[in-house]
């Protein structure tokens, strides 16, 4: 009955807030990595390369997620997105001599990453963009700059603590995502939603038994509500986040890999990680080995 | 049947002004008057197709129920024949006549059909029983409508300008049925412009104008020597041609 | 093409879920819509008002918002509908998600069904209702035996449109936990980024087939009603 009384008010708040529910996650006013913006960067690139064009324009458009705390997140009141993907984007732009404020951040969702790259809507995609052979058939994917794996987020009082436990349960993730496919293969009923934040609330409300996606994302949510949520099971998939670029400009691959490699060496990669996912309690992983670029 | 102090307004228009009327069992009352006099409204008020603002209408000493099942029962006892026939367009002639008895009176289908055929015979359209209303002439439709009302074994029959929508050559066939009905002792209230019917069949003529009953008298006196100027004026207009 | 054909079972399952959502919500919305329409044209003013309010609320609220309410807000209030999972129909367990999706679709669609039926009822001449009342039928009797049968023909085209819209609206459930056609299309797109266009066309074709079947059915009904 207590719930009933709160009913209408809660509903009103919820309807208004459901799309911005994770607003707090992005408000950690950190400035991000101190990038060294190169001067006269255009000189470093050969005539006719896409890097040279971008460096000369002094502008670059980067596609990132807007709804994943710690990776790519932009709250309703934020000016620019924040997260590990975003910081890596800044590091790449800096190598082209482009200031963070001259980067145009465009929201890409899982469905439109390839079309955006193909149409030239964005120059680069850093949007939890797992490298797969199918994607590499239509776009370029350099990297990986981060390797994570799928885990489960459950209520703190849940009994689920192994993959076997989820057989026959309902597990939430983003509609159409690889995580959802994987969990279906594990014998759970997949429940797709539009955003991760909706999935988190499904878990909290007991409408589903667990939520699944890349561990990094789950840890971000668990860190926000440690009393109610926990991340369980060892990673059971390998997601290798790459940087998407258009196959019209195959020369970008070497440049991206070199720049990532550089950030490994000068400590910017680790700094970027610590300021973003590290803050949410994710341990700094080992530096992943980069795939060689396809021979052009 | 008794109406006492009945008043009705449409906005500012006072359409029924303090109507008092008693109709005895077996009596045939013809309501006459210029158009807009409130005759149809009076007729429709008697079975509450129109609501009234004040006054009361009693049938067999019982006031009209306001709504619901009681009202439905009352309407079953009051037969109504409309100017535009209003036969159920999706039902055959026979079904039109049996629908009420079966659904309202809960008669068996066989019983209802036997009675319906008898009534259709009486009004002269028995051979059309399987047709749909749209296949019939206006006069035939109106006779079916009368049969439909009679099938409910009503205590009173209301006729709301039953011949006004008919071609002249069909008026007689409908009036013949009504005269026959009057002769069999049915209590009838008939709104009409058919003076011939009023003369032959009516026990009483009620003359209405501007929502009020101006004059109630027997037909002989009404047509030869009406009391009111309104009635004289009215009769002068319609009888000149 | 190969993306769909090598997973044809999934493709069919997905449209199976779409059809199940459509069938259950379609039937429920017709029943609820008929009840609402009857209330709306009926003689009881409280019911008239309630049905009017219902139509105002649910016809003017985006379906997505109703879904958010059912799938996100209702569980927050403690209504997860998980109790339906104990119900077994012919060896098939109903899921809470399916139930909530059907409720959302039904709440929304029945407002349109109500208006479709009401427009049909209004197309029947007033004299028919008066004649029915004059032979002593109650309101419900006159609706059932006189008004609705005659409204039938006028009602078929608008109701077919409403049901076609419903068939496509089931796609909203894609982001509320149902692995129906649109959700599966998104999964295929995610897995086979190189075959997006073909995947899109094959899923569009699935919807087109469903809608064509509904409109064919409605044409048949219309023709039958015309003969009668």
């Amino acid at each position: 009955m207590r719930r009933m009384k709160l009913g209408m008010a809660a509903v009103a708040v919820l309807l208004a807030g459901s799309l911005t529910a994770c607003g707090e996650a992005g408000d950690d006013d950190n400035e991000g990595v101190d990038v060294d913006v190169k001067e006269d960067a255009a000189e470093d690139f050969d005539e006719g390369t896409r890097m040279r064009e971008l460096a000369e324009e002094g502008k670059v458009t980067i596609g990132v997620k807007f709804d994943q705390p710690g990776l790519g997140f932009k709250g309703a009141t934020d000016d620019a997105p924040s997260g590990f993907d975003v910081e890596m984007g800044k590091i790449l732009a800096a190598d082209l001599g482009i200031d963070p404020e001259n980067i145009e951040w465009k929201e890409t969702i899982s469905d439109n990453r390839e079309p955006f790259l193909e149409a030239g809507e964005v120059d680069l995609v850093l949007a939890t963009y797992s490298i797969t052979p199918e994607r590499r058939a239509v776009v370029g994917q350099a990297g990986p700059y981060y390797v994570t794996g799928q885990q489960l987020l459950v209520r703190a009082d849940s009994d689920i603590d192994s993959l076997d436990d989820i057989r026959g349960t309902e597990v939430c993730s983003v509609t159409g995502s690889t995580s959802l496919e994987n969990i279906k293969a594990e014998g759970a009923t997949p429940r797709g939603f539009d955003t991760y934040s909706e999935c988190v609330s499904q878990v909290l409300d007991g409408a589903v038994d667990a939520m699944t996606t890349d561990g990094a994302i789950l840890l971000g949510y668990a860190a926000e509500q440690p009393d109610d949520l926990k991340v369980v099971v060892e990673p059971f998939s390998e997601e290798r986040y790459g940087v998407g670029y258009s196959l019209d400009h195959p020369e970008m691959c070497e440049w991206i890999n070199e720049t990532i490699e550089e950030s490994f060496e000068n400590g910017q990669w680790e700094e970027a990680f610590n300021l973003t996912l590290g803050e949410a309690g994710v341990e700094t992983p080992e530096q992943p080995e980069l795939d060689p670029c396809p021979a052009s | 049947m008794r109406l006492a102090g009945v008043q009705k307004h449409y906005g500012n228009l006072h359409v029924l002004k303090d109507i008092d009327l008693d109709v005895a069992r077996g009596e045939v009352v013809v309501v006459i008057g210029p158009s807009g006099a409130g005759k149809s409204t009076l007729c429709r008020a008697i079975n509450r197709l129109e609501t009234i603002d004040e006054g009361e209408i009693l049938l067999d000493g019982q006031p009209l129920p306001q709504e619901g099942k009681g009202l439905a029962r009352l309407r079953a006892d009051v037969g109504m024949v409309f100017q535009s026939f209003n036969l159920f367009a999706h039902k055959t002639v026979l079904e039109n006549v049996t629908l009420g008895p079966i659904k309202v009176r809960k008669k068996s289908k066989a019983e209802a059909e036997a009675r319906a055929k008898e009534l259709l015979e009486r009004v002269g359209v028995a051979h059309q029983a399987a047709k749909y209303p749209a296949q019939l002439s206006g006069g035939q439709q109106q006779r079916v409508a009368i049969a439909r009302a009679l099938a409910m074994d009503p205590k009173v029959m209301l006729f709301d300008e039953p011949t006004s929508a008919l071609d002249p050559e069909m008026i007689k066939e409908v009036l013949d049925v009504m005269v026959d009905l009057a002769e069999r002792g049915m209590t009838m209230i008939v709104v009409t412009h058919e003076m011939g019917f009023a003369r032959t069949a009516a026990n009483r003529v009620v003359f209405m104008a501007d929502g009020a009953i101006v004059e109630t008298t027997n037909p002989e006196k009404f047509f030869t020597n009406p009391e009111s100027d309104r009635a004289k004026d009215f009769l002068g207009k319609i009888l000149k041609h | 093409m190969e993306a769909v054909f090598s997973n044809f079972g999934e493709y069919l399952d997905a449209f199976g879920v779409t059809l199940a959502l459509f069938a259950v919500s379609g039937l429920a919305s017709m029943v609820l819509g008929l009840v609402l329409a009857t209330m709306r044209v009926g003689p009881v003013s409280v019911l008239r008002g309630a049905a009017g309010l219902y139509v105002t609320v649910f016809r003017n609220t985006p379906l997505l918002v109703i879904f958010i309410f059912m799938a996100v807000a209702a569980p927050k209030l403690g209504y997860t509908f998980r109790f339906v999972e104990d119900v077994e129909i012919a060896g098939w367990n109903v899921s809470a998600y399916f139930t909530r999706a059907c409720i959302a679709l039904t709440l929304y669609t029945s407002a349109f069904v109500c208006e479709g039926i009401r427009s049909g009822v209004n197309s029947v001449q007033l004299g028919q209702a008066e004649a029915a009342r004059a032979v002593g039928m109650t309101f419900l009797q006159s609706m059932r035996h006189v008004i609705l049968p005659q409204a039938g023909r006028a009602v078929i085209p608008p109701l077919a449109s409403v049901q076609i819209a419903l068939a496509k609206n089931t796609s909203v459930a894609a982001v509320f936990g149902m692995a129906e056609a649109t959700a599966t299309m998104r999964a295929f797109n995610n897995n086979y980024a190189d075959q997006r266009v073909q995947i899109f066309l094959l899923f569009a074709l699935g919807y087109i087939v469903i809608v064509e079947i509904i409109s064919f059915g409605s044409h048949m009904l219309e023709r039958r009603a015309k003969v009668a």
Side-chain angles (χ1 to χ4, degrees):
Chain A
M1 290 317 283
R2 181 180 58 88
R3 279 170 181 271
M4 294 283 283
K5 274 187 183 167
L6 292 172
M8 289 319 290
V11 167
V13 168
L14 214 124
L15 287 178
S18 66
L19 297 175
T20 57
C22 44
E24 311 91 54
D27 289 343
D28 48 313
D29 291 320
N30 76 60
E31 293 297 310
V33 192
D34 271 333
V35 287
D36 307 321
V37 179
K38 275 209 260 176
E39 311 238 336
D40 300 323
E43 307 293 313
D44 295 351
F45 300 105
D46 289 341
E47 195 73 46
T49 61
R50 183 63 185 153
M51 290 77 82
R52 172 109 181 197
E53 279 172 35
L54 291 168
E56 279 171 353
E57 282 169 25
K59 265 187 351 201
V60 62
T61 306
I62 302 180
V64 293
K65 291 271 174 91
F66 276 13
D67 67 342
Q68 294 187 6
L71 284 157
F73 185 84
K74 185 170 177 283
T77 56
D78 299 344
D79 294 331
S82 60
F84 184 53
D85 285 346
V86 174
E87 295 308 320
M88 287 307 292
K90 287 182 191 165
I91 289 168
L92 286 166
D95 196 63
L96 297 172
I98 297 167
D99 259 6
E101 51 267 34
N102 288 331
I103 301 171
E104 191 189 329
W105 301 107
K106 201 165 250 188
E107 180 177 19
T108 47
I109 58 168
S110 296
D111 274 351
N112 64 19
R113 291 174 298 198
E114 293 87 23
F116 271 25
L117 281 169
E118 287 175 290
E121 294 261 345
V122 294
D123 299 306
L124 298 169
V125 164
L126 289 100
T128 66
Y129 201 12
S130 298
I131 297 172
T132 69
E134 288 84 6
R135 286 176 183 155
R136 275 189 165 160
V138 282
V139 297
Q141 288 184 307
Y145 59 92
Y146 180 52
V147 177
T148 179
Q150 192 173 343
Q151 287 178 283
L152 298 173
L153 180 75
V154 295
R155 281 183 302 283
D157 59 2
S158 169
D159 296 333
I160 295 172
D161 66 352
S162 81
L163 261 189
D164 291 337
D165 295 339
I166 62 156
R167 207 172 299 280
T169 65
E170 292 179 313
V171 180
C172 184
S173 193
V174 164
T175 301
S177 65
T178 314
S179 316
L180 211 52
E181 293 288 292
N182 292 342
I183 207 70
K184 192 169 143 195
E186 296 292 340
T189 306
R191 293 298 177 195
F193 274 73
D194 225 4
T195 64
Y196 290 108
S197 51
E198 281 171 320
C199 266
V200 173
S201 85
Q202 295 283 299
V203 173
L204 286 169
D205 301 334
V208 289
D209 303 291
M211 160 182 177
T212 186
T213 185
D214 303 345
I217 298 167
L218 300 179
L219 286 164
Y221 283 113
E224 281 175 20
Q225 288 166 288
D227 293 341
D228 301 321
L229 294 170
K230 64 182 180 187
V231 175
V232 293
V233 312
E234 287 301 303
F236 56 95
S237 73
E238 191 185 64
E239 303 300 329
R240 301 156 69 241
Y241 289 174
V243 179
Y245 60 93
S246 165
L247 284 179
D248 293 344
H249 310 297
E251 71 278 9
M252 291 180 94
C253 182
E254 290 292 354
W255 162 68
I256 294 166
N257 272 359
E258 278 164 27
T259 311
I260 294 172
E261 208 64 77
E262 219 173 285
S263 74
F264 288 164
E265 281 153 28
N266 66 18
Q268 285 192 335
W269 178 82
E270 195 174 336
E271 192 190 343
F273 193 89
N274 290 339
L275 285 170
T276 53
L277 288 170
E279 295 251 300
V282 186
E283 262 175 63
T284 311
E286 280 180 35
Q287 295 174 344
E289 193 164 323
L290 304 186
D291 291 352
C293 285
S296 50
Chain B
M1 151 151 299
R2 163 195 286 265
L3 286 78
V6 171
Q7 309 271 4
K8 182 175 177 65
H9 302 258
Y10 281 132
N12 287 331
L13 205 62
H14 199 170
V15 285
L16 291 181
K17 290 179 189 156
D18 201 17
I19 302 290
D20 292 310
L21 182 65
D22 280 285
V23 181
R25 193 176 300 269
E27 195 177 19
V28 176
V29 174
V30 170
V31 182
I32 287 177
S35 43
K39 303 165 299 196
S40 280
T41 310
L42 175 69
C43 189
R44 292 161 59 84
I46 291 171
N47 70 350
R48 267 191 82 86
L49 288 176
E50 303 278 355
T51 55
I52 56 173
D53 301 333
E54 273 174 55
E56 56 179 358
I57 300 174
L58 303 168
L59 183 70
D60 276 352
Q62 300 292 316
L64 290 197
Q66 291 299 301
E67 54 198 22
K69 291 235 160 72
L71 179 60
R73 257 196 303 277
L74 164 109
R75 283 181 178 142
D77 287 342
V78 178
M80 175 105 186
V81 175
F82 299 88
Q83 182 178 342
S84 49
F85 332 134
N86 294 345
L87 291 180
F88 303 133
H90 62 305
K91 299 276 185 197
T92 64
V93 164
L94 186 68
E95 286 165 345
N96 261 277
V97 183
T98 57
L99 190 65
I102 292 172
K103 299 300 172 190
V104 179
R105 294 278 191 234
K106 309 292 178 199
K107 285 192 186 175
S108 73
K109 194 168 175 232
E111 196 186 347
E113 280 183 359
R115 170 83 172 131
K117 282 178 184 152
E118 192 185 307
L119 287 167
L120 288 172
E121 188 73 46
R122 194 163 125 195
V123 300
V125 286
H127 54 294
Q128 315 278 20
K131 288 187 181 170
Y132 284 91
Q135 298 168 288
L136 267 55
S137 74
Q140 289 169 328
Q141 287 192 51
Q142 195 60 298
R143 284 183 281 153
V144 174
I146 294 170
R148 174 174 72 180
L150 288 174
M152 298 301 291
D153 297 319
K155 294 176 181 162
V156 181
M157 285 279 283
L158 305 174
F159 293 81
D160 183 7
E161 304 200 20
T163 56
S164 299
L166 294 177
D167 291 336
E169 73 269 23
M170 293 171 184
I171 292 176
K172 185 175 179 296
E173 65 192 48
V174 172
L175 290 180
D176 285 348
V177 169
M178 289 167 63
V179 169
D180 173 62
L181 208 56
E183 283 166 358
R184 285 163 182 255
M186 175 61 75
T187 311
M188 292 163 69
I189 298 176
V190 184
V191 172
T192 188
H193 295 294
E194 296 301 328
M195 299 306 148
F197 175 79
R199 257 188 229 271
T200 33
N203 300 109
R204 251 193 313 160
V205 170
V206 170
F207 177 72
M208 278 184 82
D210 297 327
I213 293 178
V214 178
E215 178 165 356
T216 306
T217 174
N218 67 59
E220 188 54 37
K221 177 152 187 288
F222 179 77
F223 287 109
T224 51
N225 187 21
E227 279 172 20
S228 64
D229 293 341
R230 289 298 303 262
K232 280 177 194 155
D233 183 45
F234 175 73
L235 287 171
K237 273 178 190 157
I238 60 162
L239 294 177
K240 243 175 209 152
H241 298 285
Chain C
M1 291 285 162
E2 168 249 329
V4 171
F5 292 127
S6 61
N7 296 292
F8 205 63
E10 262 188 82
Y11 176 86
L12 291 181
D13 283 351
F15 275 105
V17 176
T18 293
L19 283 175
L21 286 169
F22 168 68
V24 173
S25 320
L27 210 66
S29 66
M30 294 290 260
V31 172
L32 183 55
L34 180 61
V35 171
L36 286 164
T38 306
M39 283 163 66
R40 243 196 135 179
V41 299
V44 185
S45 66
V46 177
L47 296 182
R48 255 200 326 261
L53 182 69
Y54 179 96
V55 170
T56 305
V57 168
F58 286 99
R59 195 170 59 156
N60 299 343
T61 307
L63 176 59
L64 187 65
V65 174
I66 298 175
F67 256 101
I68 291 174
F69 185 91
M70 284 311 299
V72 183
K76 268 216 159 51
L77 304 179
Y79 302 108
T80 59
F81 291 94
R82 284 197 102 161
F83 62 87
V84 301
E85 288 168 8
D86 301 332
V87 182
E88 196 182 292
I89 301 167
W92 190 66
N93 267 321
V94 186
S95 77
Y97 277 89
F98 184 79
T99 307
R100 288 198 299 258
C102 287
I103 293 174
L105 287 166
T106 301
L107 287 175
Y108 180 77
T109 308
S110 51
F112 292 87
V113 170
C114 168
E115 288 305 272
I117 293 176
R118 193 172 70 112
S119 76
V121 167
N122 286 345
S123 76
V124 178
Q125 281 182 352
L126 186 63
Q128 295 287 317
E130 288 189 342
R133 272 152 49 194
V135 294
M137 287 193 204
T138 62
F139 168 72
L140 287 177
Q141 281 177 322
S142 75
M143 280 297 278
R144 178 156 168 238
H145 300 297
V146 177
I147 306 301
L148 289 177
Q150 294 192 60
R153 215 174 103 200
V155 147
I156 294 168
L159 288 192
S161 300
V162 168
Q163 294 301 322
I164 285 169
L166 169 65
K168 294 184 289 180
N169 282 341
T170 55
S171 63
V172 176
V175 292
F176 294 94
M178 292 312 296
E180 47 67 80
T182 299
T184 305
M185 179 183 84
R186 285 170 70 167
F188 280 21
N189 269 337
N190 187 52
N191 291 347
Y192 303 93
D194 50 337
Q195 299 174 46
R196 277 171 183 275
V197 176
Q198 297 94 313
I199 292 169
F200 172 80
L201 290 175
L202 282 172
F203 276 89
L205 184 68
Y207 281 105
I208 290 168
V209 167
I210 291 176
V211 168
E212 280 303 308
I213 291 171
I214 301 171
S215 43
F216 177 76
S218 103
H219 282 307
M220 296 300 286
L221 280 176
E222 227 177 316
R223 188 179 298 180
R224 241 182 57 188
K226 210 167 270 177
V227 172

